[in-house]
Amino acid sequence: MKRREIFAGNWKMYKTCPEAENTIKSLVEGLGDIGTKEVVVFSPSPYAKTCVETAKNSPIAIGMQNMYFEDEGAFTGEVSPIMVKDCGCKYILIGHSERRHVFGESDLDVNKKIKSALKHNLSPMVCIGELLEEREKGTTNEVIKRQMDGAFDGISSQEALKIVIAYEPVWAIGTGKVATPEIAEEVHALVRKLIAEKYDQATADIMPILYGGSVKPDNISGLFAKENIDGVLVGGASLDAGSFLSIINV
Ligand code: PGA
């Protein structure tokens, strides 16, 4: 079964607006024929519209890194799904580990954001992953199950088909300590099994599951070769167009 292959970059809180524009330009120029591969850039919210305009007529889709689940209201500093759509974004990153662990987002927040994104026809890319202490205690599978149960609570199988999962072990994010392809594959297979149990095998077979955490041009090929790894979510190495392009061209 051929699943969608997605290469996503998460720029976090980096770059100025001209830098964002120039990086998208370099990506557009450097992409070449990527076949059926999909490329997504999660830009900082204030630059999303510029990135959308710069990526117009190219295979690059733009997303934002976070949003609130309400449509509007007195929520100072938040961005609504309507605003994300207004900027021309197709994707929304939900439950990134920095949102969960720096800003205290819960599994329930993640679930509400997914439902809100689906309601507004945005594609949610949902991040899950265990902390180092959870891996060392041997509770990785429980953590993944809890996060998956929370994220997909009340989501129909039709809706689930619109969701992309990104497995990002927290100990691998920004640390240079990439998970081995074997460790990543084990969790990806578990995620697919959980989807099959909640919905059915067909839904599980279609869902793209990406790996994230210290992905670099020199470790992409081992990861991407694994059966259940359908692409990657790249932080640091996506800031530079050249290194992101070599990852995409794996
Ligand atoms: P990293 O970040 O590639 O810099 O480890 C990944 C992420 O946070 O999505």
Side-chain angles (χ1 to χ4, degrees):
M1 147 108 245
K2 179 104 172 89
R3 280 185 287 272
R4 293 166 62 203
E5 296 174 339
I6 304 173
F7 292 76
N10 169 17
W11 286 353
K12 309 193 181 192
M13 203 173 73
Y14 291 103
K15 292 190 186 291
T16 62
C17 195
E19 284 167 358
E21 193 178 345
N22 284 335
T23 311
I24 296 288
K25 272 190 195 151
S26 305
L27 287 173
V28 172
E29 282 162 17
L31 265 185
D33 182 12
I34 52 165
T36 55
K37 285 180 186 170
E38 295 171 45
V39 178
V40 184
V41 171
F42 291 100
S43 92
S45 309
Y47 312 150
K49 202 165 177 180
T50 301
C51 290
V52 167
E53 278 158 15
T54 313
K56 212 169 159 187
N57 300 323
S58 85
I60 303 170
I62 306 296
M64 277 194 212
Q65 302 165 13
N66 179 43
M67 65 170 205
Y68 195 51
F69 49 77
E70 296 286 359
D71 287 359
E72 61 177 11
F75 304 108
T76 301
E78 292 293 325
V79 171
S80 80
I82 295 168
M83 296 169 187
V84 179
K85 287 234 41 154
D86 264 355
C87 291
C89 291
K90 292 208 172 73
Y91 281 86
I92 182 75
L93 199 57
I94 296 178
H96 186 275
S97 85
E98 283 141 26
R99 298 301 319 168
R100 291 179 190 259
H101 300 295
V102 182
F103 299 99
E105 264 181 32
S106 66
D107 290 328
L108 182 61
D109 293 325
V110 169
N111 179 253
K112 286 182 182 169
K113 290 182 181 197
I114 295 172
K115 286 177 176 159
S116 168
L118 291 169
K119 180 177 130 196
H120 291 283
N121 230 350
L122 284 161
S123 300
M125 188 177 289
V126 180
C127 303
I128 55 169
E130 81 285 2
L131 296 163
L132 180 60
E133 63 203 64
E134 293 166 335
R135 175 153 290 269
E136 285 172 344
K137 266 193 287 170
T139 56
T140 298
N141 291 6
E142 284 160 48
V143 173
I144 297 298
K145 185 167 177 354
R146 191 203 72 223
Q147 293 176 338
M148 287 291 289
D149 284 346
F152 284 86
D153 186 39
I155 305 281
S156 71
S157 62
Q158 273 312 100
E159 290 171 325
L161 290 173
K162 298 178 183 146
I163 297 174
V164 176
I165 294 287
Y167 167 58
E168 299 203 302
V170 181
W171 46 271
I173 298 179
T175 58
K177 275 196 240 155
V178 64
T180 62
E182 290 69 32
I183 288 180
E185 172 66 12
E186 201 180 315
V187 178
H188 282 230
L190 168 69
V191 171
R192 210 174 294 291
K193 183 167 149 267
L194 293 171
I195 291 292
E197 282 167 7
K198 182 170 171 81
Y199 301 104
D200 49 53
Q201 194 59 47
T203 307
D205 285 342
I206 289 171
M207 183 168 291
I209 306 174
L210 317 186
Y211 167 80
S214 296
V215 174
K216 304 275 182 281
D218 63 3
N219 58 32
I220 179 67
S221 47
L223 292 160
F224 194 56
K226 289 290 178 194
E227 189 190 331
N228 286 294
I229 301 183
D230 308 310
V232 281
L233 177 55
V234 187
S238 74
L239 291 169
D240 174 69
S243 79
F244 192 31
L245 285 168
S246 15
I247 291 171
I248 298 165
N249 289 325
V250 58

